[in-house]
Structure formats: structure tokens, C-alpha cells
Amino acid sequence: MTERLEDVVAPRPVVRRDDVFSGRIFDVVRDSVDLGGGGEAGEGDQAGTVTREYVDHPGAVAVVALDAEDRVALVDQYRHPVRSVLWEVPAGLLDVEGEPAHVGAARELAEEADLVAQRWDVLADFLTSPGGSNEALRVYLARELSPVPVGERHVRTDEEAAMQVRWVPLDDAVAAVLDGSLHNPSTVVGVLAAHASRAGGWASLRPVDAPWPYRRGTLPS
């Protein structure tokens, strides 16, 4: 029997934590981590204690909203760190204390794309940059879509003020990922996962409350 391929939550003891930076969305922390073996890192074969700085992030959700014609809803947004307007699936932070992730995803879909969905499934989970951040992101598949009534739509501000919604055939979105035209990680993961899951008759989809060990507050500190 082939051994199951899966990541394993296996925290090492944090012997000291320092706050390096506190920001509006995320913080930067410095952990001294005991990797075992004693001594300081670099002393022969002994792992010992190492220092790691990383972004402490609340986590996020993203939504592949797929209509009856197999088109995915993409929104454009200016992303200042990369000085670019990116086409993205609707997404947002998990910054509401105690909010179920799928509820946050539904909120983001309504706010960014003016859409509501009757059918929700978990499509994929990923860690955006595990070498430098604890940000965990869950991608949902949303189907059976309908528009938010005009009078109930969210008023978008800042970078979202000029946001447009574009409906793109899923196959075209996959091609744009593979030819290097799309770069947002949630979009890349989401459209490729949707394409693969559709090819398998959607058998890979998981329920909205599927275990998510990497969501902030779930991992041991």
C-alpha cells in the first residue's frame, strides 16, 4: 500500500517570542525555536535553537465563483507592492473574530463581485509563503450564483473602488495561468484546482467545514 502523501503538523518548542513590528493587517514576530539536539544552530550536527522572523498573518479566503456556463468571475485590483493591476478571484482576510471561513468567503464574494452563491465547497488549501509567513488560505468553489440586489450592494473604497468583474471561461483562465499572464496565487491555485476537480467529476471537493489545521489559532503556538 502506498503511504498517504500529506503535510504533518509537528511544532517545535518556541522558547522565546519577540514582537518586531505591529501593523494594520499583519505583524512581524521573531521566534527562538528549539529544533532539538541541543546547542546552537551550526555546531556540528546539532540542530539546537534557531531564530526565525516571519509575518504573523490572520489568514484569508478566496472564491472561485463558477457560473452555469463554466465561466469564472475575476476582479481587477491594484496591488501596490508589485506595482500592478492583477486579475484575481474574489478574496479577503479572515479578520472577523470567530467568523467561520465560508461565511467570510461569502461576504467577500458579495462585496467584491456583487454575487451570492447557494452551493459552496472547499476546493483547495495552501500556505502562501511558509518560509516567511504563517498565512493560510482556503479556496472555495461557489456555484448556483445570483446577483446581490442593487440596493444592497457594498460600497467599495480605496483600491477596490474601481474594481471590475470579468467573466472568463475556466479553460481560458487556466491557459492564462499557464502562459504566465495571471500571477495572483489564489487565482493560480484556484483555477488550476477547479480545472482538475472538474475533470474528475468534482469528486475532490470537500465540505465547507472540512478540517483546516493551518488556520490561525489552530496551530499550537
Side-chain angles (χ1 to χ4, degrees):
M1 179 181 294
T2 302
E3 184 179 355
R4 177 180 172 85
L5 179 66
E6 63 178 330
D7 297 328
V8 178
V9 176
R12 274 48 171 179
V14 175
V15 297
R16 174 172 175 162
R17 170 164 295 179
D18 297 303
D19 297 324
V20 178
F21 168 80
S22 180
R24 185 174 66 87
I25 295 175
F26 59 79
D27 304 327
V28 177
V29 298
R30 180 185 297 117
D31 283 356
S32 296
V33 187
D34 183 1
L35 298 181
E40 295 295 326
E43 296 181 2
D45 295 329
Q46 302 298 311
T49 300
V50 299
T51 300
R52 296 290 181 262
E53 294 173 347
Y54 61 93
V55 172
D56 186 18
H57 194 283
V61 287
V63 185
V64 175
L66 200 64
D67 71 5
E69 299 174 43
D70 272 2
R71 299 180 303 169
V72 59
L74 298 179
V75 297
D76 61 339
Q77 186 166 347
Y78 177 66
R79 295 299 190 180
H80 183 68
V82 294
R83 309 303 198 267
S84 300
V85 177
L86 304 181
W87 284 102
E88 308 176 353
V89 295
L93 299 172
L94 287 171
D95 53 2
V96 177
E97 185 71 27
E99 181 180 61
H102 70 280
V103 174
R107 173 170 45 80
E108 294 297 338
L109 181 62
E111 291 181 359
E112 294 195 353
D114 300 321
L115 294 169
V116 294
Q118 296 301 312
R119 185 171 182 179
W120 289 87
D121 299 279
V122 173
L123 189 56
D125 298 327
F126 69 100
L127 302 172
T128 58
S129 184
S133 173
N134 63 359
E135 180 182 8
L137 201 146
R138 170 158 279 188
V139 185
Y140 289 91
L141 179 68
R143 291 176 288 177
E144 299 179 13
L145 306 171
S146 59
V148 175
V150 174
E152 300 175 13
R153 293 183 179 178
H154 177 71
V155 178
R156 294 188 277 270
T157 60
D158 301 327
E159 289 92 341
E160 297 179 354
M163 184 177 282
Q164 306 174 78
V165 179
R166 180 173 176 180
W167 289 96
V168 180
L170 180 59
D171 290 340
D172 291 354
V174 170
V177 168
L178 295 179
D179 72 13
S181 297
L182 299 180
H183 302 86
N184 174 271
S186 301
T187 305
V188 171
V189 171
V191 300
L192 294 181
H195 184 264
S197 187
R198 183 184 64 178
W202 303 116
S204 66
L205 296 177
R206 289 172 284 150
V208 294
D209 58 352
W212 190 14
Y214 293 98
R215 182 173 179 177
R216 190 186 204 181
T218 303
L219 284 173
S221 58

